[in-house]
Amino acid sequence: MNWLAIRAIYLFEMNRIRRNLSQSVLAPIISTVLYFVVFGAAIGNRITEMDGISYGAFIVPGLVMLTVLTQSISNASFAIYFPRFTGTIYELLSAPVSYAEILLGYVGAAATKSLVLATIIMITATFFVPMNIQHPVWMIVFLVLTALTFSLFGFIIGVWADSFESLQIVPLLIVTPLAFLGGSFYSIHMLPPFWHTVSLFNPVVYLVSGFRWSFYGSADVSPGVSLGMTFVMLLICLAIVAWIFKTGYRLRN
């Protein structure tokens, strides 16, 4: 494993992120504050508690997951699409760097940024609501697995996309709606039986539920099932990426 090559790709991507700190860091913080103002204050006045947890505290894990999902996809997809767009991807592919090393560099940088933002959001949340993380180790496990999974998913989107507009199609039309309908701001137990059953087909439900359980010990789905579903999604993304590198899909043509 050429760790110098991985480090070079990783640092290049992290430097790109640092050059856009206002967009990379300030925007998520402002969005978090707005979510607390709209959901925590306005709706929180009508819904004081959810599963025995104050509504403001209840939405924190959902906010973190929403940010991790969207930012992981956004950063990884742009990171691999831009060299394809400029043509520099051919220089990278012809360099003495393996596909695994390329993947580790790009996905590692995207996941790192998502984890940093998740930490910032949780720190910001402490200014609005008291937080008690009951299972900190499992919280880190769910967070890291989710960041890696959706960074891989973003990498797939970046390879598949044929324009900058295409990069936004899946996150805007599929991932964001699934995140909002995945129990980020409510418990799926509140839904009628039919819609509760439908929600169980939404993979984001398992991510949010498992992550919320690590905070408050309360979950819509068994933590074991949530962890299993997270691993399944990770393995599916790894299988697709392996196929992309094996066939050269949209990388060499």
Side-chain angles (χ1 to χ4, degrees):
M1 187 70 72
N2 188 345
W3 293 106
L4 288 177
I6 297 172
R7 183 174 180 270
I9 297 172
Y10 179 87
L11 291 178
F12 177 82
E13 285 302 308
M14 293 303 294
N15 284 332
R16 180 177 62 81
I17 292 168
R18 281 196 291 268
R19 289 194 295 269
N20 297 281
L21 279 179
S22 60
Q23 179 182 354
S24 301
V25 178
L26 291 181
I29 293 176
I30 293 172
S31 297
T32 302
V33 172
L34 289 175
Y35 275 120
F36 273 109
V37 171
V38 175
F39 287 92
I43 299 178
N45 288 333
R46 298 177 179 271
I47 307 175
T48 56
E49 287 189 353
M50 188 82 69
D51 292 342
I53 307 162
S54 69
Y55 186 71
F58 180 86
I59 67 174
V60 172
L63 283 174
V64 174
M65 277 288 108
L66 180 62
T67 300
V68 170
L69 297 182
T70 55
Q71 291 296 320
S72 296
I73 293 173
S74 173
N75 283 288
S77 61
F78 182 82
I80 190 62
Y81 177 77
F82 189 73
R84 287 182 56 230
F85 175 75
T86 58
T88 55
I89 187 68
Y90 300 111
E91 298 176 9
L92 182 62
L93 293 174
S94 62
V97 182
S98 70
Y99 290 147
E101 291 160 355
I102 294 173
L103 188 65
L104 283 173
Y106 282 120
V107 170
T112 298
K113 182 195 172 183
S114 297
L115 295 174
V116 170
L117 289 177
T119 303
I120 292 173
I121 288 173
M122 286 189 282
I123 293 173
T124 304
T126 60
F127 292 97
F128 295 89
V129 294
M131 283 200 307
N132 178 32
I133 303 175
Q134 294 187 13
H135 308 284
V137 174
W138 285 111
M139 184 269 288
I140 294 172
V141 169
F142 275 109
L143 199 58
V144 171
L145 286 177
T146 302
L148 288 174
T149 299
F150 281 83
S151 292
L152 285 168
F153 185 52
F155 187 91
I156 294 168
I157 293 173
V159 173
W160 163 81
D162 55 7
S163 66
F164 283 102
E165 290 76 14
S166 300
L167 290 177
Q168 304 300 320
I169 291 176
V170 175
L172 289 178
L173 298 184
I174 298 178
V175 176
T176 300
L178 288 178
F180 275 91
L181 297 173
S184 297
F185 303 107
Y186 60 89
S187 169
I188 64 171
H189 292 315
M190 299 174 61
L191 301 174
F194 173 76
W195 291 110
H196 179 274
T197 302
V198 171
S199 295
L200 295 178
F201 290 92
N202 180 351
V204 178
V205 165
Y206 301 92
L207 303 176
V208 174
S209 178
F211 192 58
R212 183 172 286 127
W213 170 82
S214 71
F215 275 73
Y216 310 119
S218 174
D220 291 329
V221 184
S222 166
V225 175
S226 296
L227 187 62
M229 286 295 294
T230 306
F231 271 114
V232 168
M233 287 186 281
L234 177 62
L235 292 176
I236 290 173
C237 289
L238 283 172
I240 295 173
V241 170
W243 174 81
I244 287 173
F245 283 135
K246 182 179 180 179
T247 61
Y249 173 75
R250 293 202 173 182
L251 287 177
R252 297 187 179 278
N253 48 52

